[in-house]
């Protein structure tokens, strides 16, 4: 029997094709007609797998969430290290698909991978001794930080026109026209600086509110040392 010229239509193929289209051309490029053309099928055949465009977009966003590594939360790593490793993986997934970030930033909704991510972060913090209310706020804080860092490039926002930055008007921006040239290093460095600052602040709060209230030998100062960026365990 001859093999079909095109792969059999499936929800997975539809979602993957939609994501490629959004990556290449942005959210506005996604439509049922355009997707059907990309897949070489009729428009109505798509509805056997996804009922609406909103459902399709949810599935696309959730597929990106499925790229985020959550293994650090099951490996027993101290909470600072787990948050650090997760934040880096989260940002990498968003950086690979920047056009999807505005939709993703709205929250997990009913998306299974997004809900698993929220559950893993919240569970890690509560198990470490954080009060549930604070754990919720920390999870929100981390999501704001990571998604915000992926929304746009700080360095690319400065035009490469040296004449724009007249010293009389902008005495401290004499080198600003060079920022875009070093976009990757600047944006990555800003993310890492912000991540370490957040974790340092959370560690101080943890020592005051959790360790101080109920010492936990297996999560206290040892977790603090283990969570530092140098990877030391304190042993």
């Amino acid at each position: 029997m001859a093999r079909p010229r095109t792969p059999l239509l499936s929800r997975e193929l539809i979602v993957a094709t939609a994501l490629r289209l959004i990556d290449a051309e942005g959210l506005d490029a996604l439509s049922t007609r355009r997707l059907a053309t990309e897949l070489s099928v009729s428009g109505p055949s798509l509805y056997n797998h996804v009922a609406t465009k909103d459902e399709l977009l949810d599935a696309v966003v959730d597929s990106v969430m499925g790229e985020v590594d959550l293994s650090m939360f099951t490996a027993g790593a101290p909470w600072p290290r787990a948050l650090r490793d997760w934040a880096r993986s989260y940002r990498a997934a968003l950086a690979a698909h920047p056009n999807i970030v505005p939709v993703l930033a709205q929250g997990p909704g009913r998306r299974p991978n997004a809900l698993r991510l929220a559950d893993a972060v919240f569970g890690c913090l509560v198990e470490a001794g954080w009060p549930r209310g604070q754990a919720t706020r920390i999870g929100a804080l981390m999501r704001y930080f990571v998604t915000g860092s992926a929304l746009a490039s700080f360095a690319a926002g400065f035009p490469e026109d040296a004449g724009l930055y007249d010293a009389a008007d902008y005495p401290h921006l004499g080198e600003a026209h060079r920022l875009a040239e070093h976009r990757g290093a600047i944006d990555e460095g800003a993310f890492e600086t912000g991540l370490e600052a957040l974790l340092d602040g959370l560690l101080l709060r943890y020592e005051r509110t959790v360790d101080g209230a109920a010492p936990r030998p297996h999560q206290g100062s040892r977790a603090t040392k283990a969570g530092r960026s140098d990877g030391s365990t304190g042993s």
Side-chain angles (χ1 to χ4, degrees):
M1 181 183 294
R3 299 180 63 183
R5 294 182 178 180
T6 57
L8 294 176
L9 194 61
S10 67
R11 184 180 177 90
E12 292 74 19
L13 178 61
I14 292 170
V15 169
T17 303
L19 179 57
R20 285 198 299 272
L21 183 60
I22 292 171
D23 284 345
E25 300 182 32
L27 285 166
D28 291 341
L30 182 63
S31 69
T32 302
R33 177 177 297 180
R34 177 67 186 280
L35 189 57
T37 299
E38 293 290 323
L39 291 164
S40 300
V41 299
S42 64
S45 65
L46 296 176
Y47 295 118
N48 293 323
H49 303 277
V50 287
T52 66
K53 181 180 176 180
D54 286 343
E55 180 184 331
L56 172 60
L57 193 54
D58 263 356
V60 171
V61 172
D62 205 45
S63 72
V64 174
M65 289 293 88
E67 298 179 13
V68 181
D69 183 14
L70 300 178
S71 64
M72 66 287 296
F73 295 116
T74 58
W79 67 266
R81 182 182 298 168
L83 282 187
R84 178 183 292 107
D85 291 346
W86 162 72
R88 287 170 175 165
S89 178
Y90 192 8
R91 181 173 182 268
L94 302 192
H97 309 286
N99 292 334
I100 208 71
V101 175
V103 181
L104 182 149
Q106 297 172 7
R110 297 177 179 270
R111 304 164 193 147
N113 286 326
L115 289 170
R116 276 191 285 271
L117 185 153
D119 180 75
V121 174
F122 181 75
C124 169
L125 293 168
V126 170
E127 289 173 8
W130 285 100
R132 295 174 68 87
Q134 291 195 44
T136 299
R137 290 190 288 272
I138 292 168
L141 167 67
M142 297 299 294
R143 187 171 70 83
Y144 293 155
F145 172 67
V146 176
T147 55
S149 74
L151 278 172
S153 165
F154 172 82
F158 289 85
E160 298 183 61
D161 178 7
L164 175 66
Y165 307 99
D166 190 297
D169 296 320
Y170 314 108
H172 306 296
L173 296 182
E175 299 297 316
H177 63 286
R178 301 183 185 277
L179 291 176
E181 179 183 351
H182 304 285
R183 169 180 176 173
I186 292 171
D187 292 345
E188 182 68 25
F191 172 78
E192 288 294 331
T193 299
L195 179 59
E196 292 305 319
L198 279 177
L199 292 175
D200 284 346
L202 290 174
L203 283 163
L204 290 174
R205 180 178 288 267
Y206 185 87
E207 291 167 357
R208 291 197 306 267
T209 63
V210 180
D211 278 349
R216 297 169 180 263
H218 62 291
Q219 289 284 359
S221 60
R222 183 174 298 176
T224 299
K225 293 175 182 177
R228 297 296 182 182
S229 59
D230 60 5
S232 63
T233 63
S235 58

